[in-house]
Amino acid sequence: MGSKLNILVVGGGGREHALAWKLAQSDLVGKLYAAPGNPGISEYAVCVPLKVEDVTGIAKFAVSESINLAAVGPEIPLCMGITDILEEAGIAVFGPSFRAAAIEGSKVFSKNLMRKYNIPTAAFEVFTLYDDAVSYARALGDDMWVKASGLAAGKGAVYASDPDVAERIIRGMMVESMFGESGYEVVIEDNMRGEEASIFAVCDGKTFKTLVSSQDHKRILDGDSGPNTGGMGAYAPAPVIDRNMMRRIEREIIQPTLDGMAAEGIPYRGLLYAGVMITASGPRVVEYNCRFGDPESQAVLPLLKGDLAEIMLSSAQGDLSGVEVGAKTGSALCVVMASGGYPGTCRKGFPVSGLKEAGEEKNVKVFHAGTALEESRIVTAGGRVLGVTAWSDSLLEARNCAYSAVDKISFQDAFYRKDIGYRALQKQDTEDRSQKSE
């Protein structure tokens, strides 16, 4: 592929640490930068103090440092048009254009796309008027979701068990501006029952290649109770997605989505993330994201077989035909260690100990999500502080390794779920007992 690539990772969380870690393993990479990065990322990349929202500042930096490829982690800069800005400057970008990023930036856009191109999803209606939304919710009865159309940091989808709850949620979004302008337009949709999984597809505008499936744990407490978070852990692969189900998802969801976007004159390049509910009647789209998931990336990327830099560049250039995108055997599991108060307000600045000891465990990587460097010490700097990831031949071994590493790390008010991967392990246990009884 000629000379080495200068690559800029945009973002500073656990997902971006995982991306930088994987990119650093590529022989194609020359210089690696991250904006803004974090103390963990600084092991592999030069961190540049630029906020992800500063898309013009990032573009100026990219030009000044002769960046060949930008790998954009978060959705905010993508929905602000960073891809268009960088491409105008002659820089290849792994990430969709401003118009294509609407697949995450506007739930109304994505739901209408699904309706128009017969992509399976929950029945829904869109509302811009408060009274109309409340009337619809009351007519619908029980068991629904109210979703802010715009970006809401992963918190814009709220379950309503009955019309009274729905009305309070609608008022919060449309009248009380709990999500700002993002909630002035809402989607109300039927609740789908089943098991959810995350599907990542690397896209080049026409074709795609899927990565290993994964499953996130959104609720803050064990047993999937408590409020929603950005994700308390993940594992890969998800047993609910067997080979036949993956083929159905590719055939019924991913390819029609790419075809639909192309037909709209908005070719989709980059990472398409489909949150998919496996219902009794087949796979249904819960939502789309226009980037890698977090913390799913921390479980998926250790299992990626292929050169991530080559994959990203091929996607950006619109031709994936010549690259390998495979999966290693085995499983990976990520446990998020969070600060007390998360997903609400958290106190910051507490020293983190045990990182070196945890990182010395075999097949373990501690990804920094919300950390900072103060006087040569790593301290907490966010709600989700670390993503402790392990991989092994079996999910049980990966889980045991991850929690063994977690036990070595401490900081004030730290907490984490102790049941990451429980659905898959319960399923395996049930299958093992069934085989023994036969």
Side-chain angles (χ1 to χ4, degrees):
M1 196 172 277
S3 58
K4 299 272 189 175
L5 298 171
N6 293 334
I7 297 181
L8 172 64
V9 175
V10 177
R15 163 185 49 218
E16 289 77 32
H17 190 178
L19 290 170
W21 169 74
K22 195 69 177 181
L23 285 166
Q25 297 168 24
S26 169
D27 292 333
L28 300 175
V29 177
K31 294 180 180 178
L32 191 58
Y33 299 89
N38 64 39
I41 294 173
S42 67
E43 181 182 350
Y44 309 101
V46 175
C47 293
V48 185
L50 290 168
K51 294 181 179 179
V52 297
E53 300 91 347
D54 184 10
V55 292
T56 54
I58 290 170
K60 288 178 182 176
F61 172 82
V63 170
S64 70
E65 296 300 322
S66 302
I67 297 299
N68 305 111
L69 173 67
V72 185
E75 66 276 14
I76 289 175
L78 290 167
C79 291
M80 291 177 68
I82 192 171
T83 297
D84 308 65
I85 294 168
L86 289 169
E87 286 183 344
E88 283 177 14
I91 297 165
V93 184
F94 181 78
S97 67
F98 170 74
R99 292 181 67 206
I103 205 163
E104 176 172 3
S106 169
K107 286 187 173 63
V108 171
F109 173 87
S110 65
K111 294 294 283 191
N112 285 334
L113 182 83
M114 288 183 261
R115 176 178 278 166
K116 183 174 181 179
Y117 293 99
N118 299 312
I119 298 162
T121 188
F124 72 96
E125 292 297 336
V126 175
F127 299 94
T128 54
L129 297 176
Y130 169 78
D131 289 341
D132 291 349
V134 171
S135 295
Y136 180 78
R138 294 212 168 274
L140 202 57
D142 301 333
D143 209 23
M144 73 193 84
W145 287 84
V146 182
K147 298 182 176 182
S149 178
L151 297 178
K155 302 179 180 70
V158 187
Y159 174 70
S161 55
D162 61 61
D164 290 335
V165 173
E167 183 171 0
R168 289 196 294 273
I169 297 166
I170 294 165
R171 174 172 290 277
M173 290 185 186
M174 301 189 79
V175 179
E176 298 168 0
S177 303
M178 63 188 294
F179 298 123
E181 293 182 3
S182 291
Y184 293 162
E185 188 174 40
V186 300
V187 173
I188 300 177
E189 64 180 45
D190 293 351
N191 183 40
M192 296 185 287
R193 298 192 181 278
E195 189 171 346
E196 193 171 347
S198 301
I199 307 299
F200 294 170
V202 180
C203 307
D204 64 10
K206 295 179 180 178
T207 66
F208 67 91
K209 296 191 177 183
T210 49
L211 279 62
V212 65
S213 65
S214 59
Q215 190 170 74
D216 188 12
H217 297 62
K218 284 289 187 188
R219 301 279 186 168
I220 196 165
L221 301 174
D222 288 1
D224 291 323
S225 59
N228 267 337
T229 71
M232 292 299 294
Y235 65 94
V240 71
I241 308 295
D242 58 20
R243 184 175 296 178
N244 289 334
M245 183 56 68
M246 181 63 92
R247 285 174 177 164
R248 280 196 68 179
I249 291 168
E250 291 173 345
R251 184 175 66 249
E252 298 174 19
I253 293 173
I254 305 298
Q255 191 63 60
T257 302
L258 287 190
D259 292 344
M261 292 291 282
E264 295 294 311
I266 316 171
Y268 192 96
R269 291 191 297 273
L271 197 288
L272 178 66
Y273 166 162
V276 177
M277 187 73 74
I278 308 304
T279 72
S281 55
R284 301 283 184 270
V285 177
V286 177
E287 65 178 6
Y288 293 114
N289 292 319
C290 63
R291 36 71 193 183
F292 278 102
D294 187 345
E296 296 102 323
S297 298
Q298 292 89 301
V300 168
L301 289 171
L303 299 178
L304 174 64
K305 186 166 65 174
D307 186 311
L308 183 58
E310 183 183 17
I311 291 167
M312 286 181 160
L313 185 62
S314 298
S315 165
Q317 293 176 338
D319 184 6
L320 285 170
S321 60
V323 295
E324 176 189 22
V325 183
K328 299 175 184 176
T329 57
S331 295
L333 183 142
C334 173
V335 179
V336 169
M337 299 186 71
S339 290
Y342 180 74
T345 304
C346 307
R347 292 168 63 196
K348 302 175 183 179
F350 298 124
V352 181
S353 64
L355 289 171
K356 183 174 182 292
E357 293 78 5
E360 288 172 348
E361 297 251 338
K362 184 182 179 184
N363 291 348
V364 167
K365 183 65 186 176
V366 181
F367 294 113
H368 291 229
T371 66
L373 194 61
E374 284 186 6
E375 298 176 355
S376 75
R377 300 184 307 177
I378 301 292
V379 299
T380 62
R384 292 187 294 177
V385 178
L386 302 168
V388 183
T389 299
W391 53 95
S392 189
D393 291 337
S394 73
L395 183 61
L396 180 60
E397 290 173 357
R399 186 196 68 170
N400 292 342
C401 289
Y403 280 108
S404 174
V406 165
D407 288 340
K408 293 177 167 59
I409 300 170
S410 63
F411 53 88
Q412 187 171 319
D413 299 334
F415 75 95
Y416 54 90
R417 280 184 57 163
K418 299 173 179 63
D419 67 344
I420 302 302
Y422 77 93
R423 283 194 191 89
L425 292 169
Q426 285 177 351
K427 191 171 293 186
Q428 288 177 7
D429 188 49
T430 300
E431 290 173 354
D432 289 346
R433 286 201 303 270
S434 175
Q435 289 174 359
K436 288 177 182 177
S437 66
E438 289 177 357

